[in-house]
Amino acid sequence: MAPVALETPTHINGASTPVSISKKAHAFDPATQHLPDIDPSKLTIKLSHELATVPAPETLTFGTIHTDHMLLLTFSPEAGWSAPSIQPYGPMSIDPMASCIQYATNIFEGMKAYMGADGRPRLFRPDLNMARMKRSADRLALPPFNEQALLELIKKLIMVEKRWIPSAPGCSLYIRPTMFGTRIGFGVTPSTSATLLIILSPSGPYFPGVVRPISLYAESRVRRAWPGGTGGHKLALNYAPTLRPTREASQQGYDQILWLFGEDDHLGEVGQMNAFVVLKRDDGSLDVITPPLDGTILPGVTRHSVLDLTRAHSPENAIPGLPADLVLHVQERYIPIAQLVEYSETGTLAEVFGVGTAAVLVPINRIGYGEEGKEIKIEGGANGFGPIARAVREELMAIQEARRPSIWSVPCDEE
Amino acid sequence: MAPVALETPTHINGASTPVSISKKAHAFDPATQHLPDIDPSKLTIKLSHELATVPAPETLTFGTIHTDHMLLLTFSPEAGWSAPSIQPYGPMSIDPMASCIQYATNIFEGMKAYMGADGRPRLFRPDLNMARMKRSADRLALPPFNEQALLELIKKLIMVEKRWIPSAPGCSLYIRPTMFGTRIGFGVTPSTSATLLIILSPSGPYFPGVVRPISLYAESRVRRAWPGGTGGHKLALNYAPTLRPTREASQQGYDQILWLFGEDDHLGEVGQMNAFVVLKRDDGSLDVITPPLDGTILPGVTRHSVLDLTRAHSPENAIPGLPADLVLHVQERYIPIAQLVEYSETGTLAEVFGVGTAAVLVPINRIGYGEEGKEIKIEGGANGFGPIARAVREELMAIQEARRPSIWSVPCDEE
């Protein structure tokens, strides 16, 4: 199919059109403009003539294929947000001088649609993703948008593509809202125009094969994020710098990186996931700890949900699979890597796991640190899961798949 | 014109082609592969049928227009680097799931071609740009390339487009080598395919209008870069996070940001330039200081050249316009903002200026800091230039425009 034109191709050449894009862009501040916002009532749907065969769930990996259609919106400083369009998936036409190519003004979200046990397509806490995406856009000076309107459009796209939602366990329809600046010019200035896409990708497990624990290398030379930086936002630019260190960790036999920060080398994220640590106390209660949101940690939807579930655990409201009288001391605090080593050596360390939309919850069984091949080893039960990891993961998935009723699970087939 | 196809549009849908791009990509490490490198002898040139009118130099701003042609190369894990092509400038076809859109695997360089006083198109120390671009590619796990071969191609493109080189003072043909990952898929893994483009943009002054000093706001809440981060590489992703803080500084009446870092809030970069500070000593000699390359500072070609020129200044090798017996103490060291304030208050502070390829050298006359509207004011001579800024800028431009012979100025019309 022909590429979708995202920009009117007005490549300004010649003295006859001495338009200074740079100057115009500099004066523009979307927050102070009153331009048309996203309007779901203007949605047009153009279905593909050729629909692809939906792959068997057991062949699915993470994020390698897409559905037949995508949702497209564009923003211009003159007209605001365009009428939304559901149209056949296809390549885009982008100017080589576009902001998204030159200056990385690209943001995204990760969400999942599940086919509920009730036969209704469902999203998991999508309001949290929409709010985060709005903050991401603001951080990169991209145009603002109405997040409820965008969510409505995502639901409509899911309903159009619902035959793509895999119903096998561990499978889902991964949703990738993506927004990027399309302003043309080399001036380092906010992108006054943008494109917003929703892409759907039927996906299997994030880590291929059976559910298994993963290994980490604790990285203290390269830093993923820092206070005053952008690690607390979901920006494309947080990911590129992790590729080479992760490849090096992989060459040393580790699956992902445990990102450390600060003079005390405290725990940050785990690959692309938020980190959780469980410690045993003498009285049989447990500490459930995750690093605080200090600007270096992504405020993950799954992180938020794990905190909510574990904080609510009580005799009246127990997480299934955990003793009702088990006391959980839930904390957001720093854990220096040296302290984690000490917890391991003293037998206090019970579990380490990573959580995120793509992977849900993955146990960690091995953490390499330092330069002498030292390792923390963490024992797990079946498939490497400790009791907290297992129970929390099951509870999350039960809610996501609407096997357990919850206001967190939002059906796509109603407004 | 039709967009250039950068990727064979093999959107893998359906169980019939269960290709796991993610797995394949993960095992790939370009450094260990023996794939075809860039080969200038394979260059094909397809000239545009319609050539644009070259604009009058006085209408030029920075980076808003482009020439008729661009140079294009693609890299695939199967075939290595493609035959290079000079072809009409035009939009590109990019998959919405491409690495450059999703994960900001984008790098670039900034160079300039000048029409030499000898009538030959010339580049300024292009070997430094090529070496830096190679390091940038390596940092983002993008494919390696032969930098001499790329430089040869840039020279050929300049020769094709030489009518676009403005010969007016302060104007030049800005060169933007751009490379970005085109791997398709949501797995966070190195981009095994890439596109490399050379774009040319006839440009006037970086800051519009007459050459004038600019003002800065010293920013300590948002941090541009940090040790262990990517601030020492020329990556697209270093720029997007600066857009909103710069817009806010602009709303307060400042042109650019003075980026601070560390507990002592020491000086980093100046907008998109390297910072220089000149201090007076009692004996009439001067300190010329720039922040050290600790990973938070871009190793600028102009920075490098200013250090070279000022370090070489001596009675035998004086910078024209400066007294031959003037002693310059050139240092790469940290200057906390509080120290800069003190230098200002004690009358020691002589000059502050920013240097970079796009702007060459720009004096700074005002630095806002803190939250109470405090400002450092710096007196300049004509147009706000101090003696060091004026002499160094003139010497740089004399070399760039081949008015003064130098091995730094490299003609494009020979191998």
Side-chain angles (χ1 to χ4, degrees), chain B residues 232-251:
Chain B
H233 292 88
K234 193 114 183 129
L235 312 179
L237 65 88
N238 289 329
Y239 294 81
T242 71
L243 298 174
R244 203 188 70 171
T246 305
R247 185 172 70 193
E248 284 165 7
S250 171
Q251 285 161 349

Side-chain angles (χ1 to χ4, degrees), chain B residues 32-248:
Chain B
T32 65
Q33 305 274 321
H34 300 286
L35 289 165
D37 209 325
I38 296 177
D39 184 352
S41 76
K42 292 191 175 152
L43 174 66
T44 59
I45 301 179
K46 186 190 158 197
L47 296 180
S48 178
H49 294 300
E50 285 176 63
L51 298 184
T53 306
V54 174
E58 62 271 18
T59 65
L60 293 174
T61 55
F62 175 77
T64 51
I65 64 173
H66 56 78
T67 66
D68 299 300
H69 304 92
M70 61 183 181
L71 187 127
L72 176 79
L73 287 151
T74 60
F75 181 92
S76 79
E78 296 81 24
W81 285 104
S82 69
S85 157
I86 290 175
Q87 59 187 61
Y89 183 95
M92 311 174 296
S93 173
I94 297 184
D95 193 283
M97 291 170 79
S99 177
C100 60
I101 298 297
Q102 298 297 331
Y103 299 126
T105 49
N106 306 21
I107 66 172
F108 69 91
E109 273 298 320
M111 307 164 71
K112 279 180 173 175
Y114 300 85
M115 186 55 75
D118 55 1
R120 303 170 75 185
R122 288 175 170 275
L123 299 171
F124 181 71
R125 311 189 82 174
D127 50 318
L128 296 179
N129 294 96
M130 293 298 98
R132 188 171 64 185
M133 189 167 182
K134 205 174 161 70
R135 290 196 302 274
S136 298
D138 184 51
R139 181 63 188 84
L140 294 194
L142 285 167
F145 60 91
N146 181 299
E147 58 268 47
Q148 284 311 313
L150 184 60
L151 179 54
E152 198 177 318
L153 290 170
I154 291 173
K155 289 178 181 174
K156 286 190 201 294
L157 180 64
I158 301 288
M159 291 312 290
V160 168
E161 298 289 61
K162 74 177 173 185
R163 74 188 185 102
W164 285 91
I165 307 174
S167 51
C171 294
S172 61
L173 186 59
Y174 183 75
I175 307 167
R176 175 61 66 100
T178 302
M179 182 172 163
F180 49 90
T182 53
R183 178 186 176 278
I184 296 169
F186 293 139
V188 180
T189 184
S191 186
T192 44
S193 57
T195 291
L196 201 168
L197 287 177
I198 313 292
I199 306 164
L200 305 180
S201 176
S203 290
Y206 188 71
F207 294 99
V210 294
V211 176
R212 61 173 176 92
I214 63 165
S215 58
L216 305 177
Y217 180 76
E219 173 63 59
S220 58
R221 296 154 302 175
V222 178
R223 305 296 194 174
R224 191 197 78 92
W226 71 108
T230 58
H233 292 88
K234 193 114 183 129
L235 312 179
L237 65 88
N238 289 329
Y239 294 81
T242 71
L243 298 174
R244 203 188 70 171
T246 305
R247 185 172 70 193
E248 284 165 7

Side-chain angles (χ1 to χ4, degrees), chain A residues 60-65 112 174 176 201-207 358, chain B residues 22 103 186-188:
Chain A
L60 293 175
T61 55
F62 175 76
T64 51
I65 64 173
K112 280 179 172 174
Y174 183 74
R176 175 62 65 100
S201 176
S203 291
Y206 189 72
F207 295 100
Chain B
S22 186
Y103 299 126
F186 293 139
V188 180

